[in-house]
Coordinates of all heavy atoms in Angstrom, one line a residue:
K103 N 92.8 59.3 120.2 CA 91.8 59.9 119.3 C 92.4 61.0 118.5 O 92.1 61.2 117.3 CB 90.6 60.4 120.1 CG 89.3 60.5 119.2 CD 88.1 60.8 120.2 CE 86.9 60.6 119.4 NZ 85.7 60.8 120.3
Q104 N 93.2 61.8 119.1 CA 93.9 63.0 118.4 C 94.8 62.4 117.2 O 94.7 63.1 116.2 CB 94.7 63.7 119.4 CG 95.3 65.0 118.8 CD 96.2 65.7 119.8 OE1 96.6 65.1 120.9 NE2 96.5 66.9 119.6
Y105 N 95.4 61.3 117.4 CA 96.2 60.8 116.3 C 95.4 60.5 115.1 O 95.6 60.9 113.9 CB 96.9 59.5 116.8 CG 97.6 58.7 115.7 CD1 98.9 59.1 115.4 CD2 97.1 57.7 115.1 CE1 99.7 58.4 114.5 CE2 97.8 56.9 114.1 CZ 99.0 57.3 113.8 OH 99.8 56.6 112.9
W106 N 94.2 59.8 115.3 CA 93.3 59.4 114.1 C 92.6 60.6 113.6 O 92.4 60.7 112.4 CB 92.4 58.4 114.5 CG 93.1 57.1 114.9 CD1 93.4 56.6 116.2 CD2 93.8 56.2 114.0 NE1 94.2 55.4 116.0 CE2 94.4 55.2 114.8 CE3 93.9 56.2 112.6 CZ2 95.1 54.2 114.2 CZ3 94.6 55.2 112.0 CH2 95.3 54.2 112.8
R107 N 92.2 61.6 114.3 CA 91.7 62.8 113.8 C 92.7 63.6 112.9 O 92.4 64.1 111.9 CB 91.3 63.8 114.9 CG 90.0 63.4 115.6 CD 89.6 64.4 116.6 NE 88.3 63.9 117.2 CZ 87.8 64.5 118.3 NH1 88.4 65.5 118.9 NH2 86.6 64.1 118.7
Y108 N 94.0 63.6 113.3 CA 95.1 64.2 112.5 C 95.2 63.5 111.2 O 95.3 64.1 110.2 CB 96.3 64.2 113.3 CG 97.4 64.9 112.6 CD1 97.6 66.3 112.7 CD2 98.4 64.2 112.0 CE1 98.6 66.9 112.0 CE2 99.4 64.8 111.3 CZ 99.6 66.2 111.3 OH 100.6 66.8 110.7
I109 N 95.2 62.2 111.3 CA 95.3 61.4 110.0 C 94.1 61.6 109.0 O 94.3 61.8 107.9 CB 95.4 59.9 110.3 CG1 96.8 59.6 110.9 CG2 95.2 59.0 109.1 CD1 97.1 58.1 111.1
R110 N 92.9 61.7 109.7 CA 91.8 62.0 108.9 C 91.8 63.3 108.2 O 91.5 63.6 107.0 CB 90.5 61.8 109.7 CG 89.2 62.1 108.9 CD 88.0 61.7 109.8 NE 86.8 61.9 109.0 CZ 85.9 62.8 109.1 NH1 86.1 63.7 110.0 NH2 84.8 62.8 108.4
K111 N 92.2 64.3 108.9 CA 92.4 65.7 108.5 C 93.3 65.8 107.3 O 93.1 66.4 106.3 CB 92.8 66.6 109.6 CG 93.0 68.2 109.2 CD 93.4 68.9 110.3 CE 93.7 70.3 110.0 NZ 94.2 71.0 111.0
M112 N 94.5 65.2 107.5 CA 95.6 65.1 106.4 C 95.1 64.4 105.2 O 95.5 64.9 104.1 CB 96.8 64.5 106.9 CG 97.6 65.3 108.1 SD 98.0 66.9 107.3 CE 97.2 68.1 108.5
T113 N 94.3 63.3 105.4 CA 93.8 62.6 104.2 C 92.8 63.5 103.5 O 92.7 63.5 102.2 CB 93.1 61.3 104.8 OG1 94.0 60.6 105.5 CG2 92.6 60.5 103.5
Q114 N 91.9 64.2 104.2 CA 91.0 65.1 103.5 C 91.6 66.2 102.8 O 91.2 66.5 101.7 CB 90.0 65.7 104.5 CG 89.0 64.7 105.1 CD 88.1 65.3 106.2 OE1 88.5 66.3 106.8 NE2 87.0 64.7 106.4
I115 N 92.7 66.8 103.3 CA 93.5 67.8 102.6 C 94.1 67.3 101.3 O 94.1 67.9 100.3 CB 94.6 68.4 103.6 CG1 93.9 69.2 104.7 CG2 95.5 69.2 102.8 CD1 94.8 69.6 105.8
R116 N 94.7 66.0 101.5 CA 95.3 65.4 100.3 C 94.3 65.1 99.2 O 94.5 65.3 98.0 CB 96.0 64.0 100.8 CG 96.8 63.4 99.7 CD 97.5 62.1 100.2 NE 97.2 61.1 99.3 CZ 96.4 60.1 99.3 NH1 95.7 60.0 100.4 NH2 96.4 59.2 98.4
N117 N 93.1 64.5 99.6 CA 92.1 64.2 98.6 C 91.6 65.5 97.9 O 91.2 65.5 96.7 CB 90.9 63.5 99.3 CG 91.3 62.1 99.7 OD1 92.3 61.5 99.1 ND2 90.6 61.5 100.6
N118 N 91.4 66.6 98.7 CA 91.0 67.9 98.2 C 91.9 68.4 97.1 O 91.5 68.9 96.1 CB 90.7 68.8 99.2 CG 89.5 68.5 100.0 OD1 88.6 67.8 99.6 ND2 89.4 69.1 101.2
K119 N 93.3 68.2 97.4 CA 94.2 68.7 96.4 C 94.2 67.8 95.1 O 94.3 68.3 94.1 CB 95.6 68.5 97.0 CG 95.9 69.6 98.0 CD 97.3 69.5 98.6 CE 97.6 70.6 99.7 NZ 99.0 70.4 100.2
I120 N 93.9 66.5 95.3 CA 93.9 65.7 94.1 C 92.6 66.0 93.3 O 92.6 66.1 92.1 CB 93.8 64.1 94.6 CG1 95.1 63.7 95.1 CG2 93.4 63.3 93.4 CD1 95.2 62.4 95.8
I121 N 91.5 66.3 94.0 CA 90.2 66.6 93.2 C 90.4 67.9 92.6 O 89.9 68.1 91.4 CB 89.1 66.6 94.2 CG1 88.7 65.2 94.7 CG2 87.9 67.3 93.6 CD1 87.7 65.1 95.7
K122 N 91.1 68.9 93.2 CA 91.3 70.2 92.6 C 92.1 70.1 91.3 O 92.0 70.9 90.4 CB 92.0 71.1 93.7 CG 92.1 72.5 93.3 CD 92.7 73.3 94.4 CE 92.7 74.8 94.0 NZ 93.3 75.6 95.2
K123 N 93.1 69.2 91.3 CA 94.0 69.1 90.1 C 93.3 68.4 88.9 O 93.8 68.5 87.8 CB 95.2 68.3 90.5 CG 96.2 69.1 91.3 CD 97.5 68.4 91.6 CE 98.4 69.2 92.5 NZ 99.6 68.6 92.8
K124 N 92.3 67.6 89.2 CA 91.6 66.8 88.1 C 90.8 67.9 87.2 O 90.3 68.8 87.7 CB 90.5 65.9 88.8 CG 91.2 64.6 89.2 CD 90.1 63.6 89.7 CE 90.6 62.4 90.2 NZ 89.6 61.5 90.6

Side-chain angles (χ1 to χ4, degrees):
K103 197 172 195 177
Q104 186 182 15
Y105 175 84
W106 294 105
R107 283 185 179 171
Y108 182 81
I109 287 184
R110 182 170 186 253
K111 179 182 172 186
M112 290 298 121
T113 306
Q114 286 177 339
I115 290 171
R116 186 177 135 261
N117 289 342
N118 288 342
K119 285 181 182 178
I120 291 171
I121 290 171
K122 189 176 180 181
K123 289 182 180 179
K124 282 186 180 180

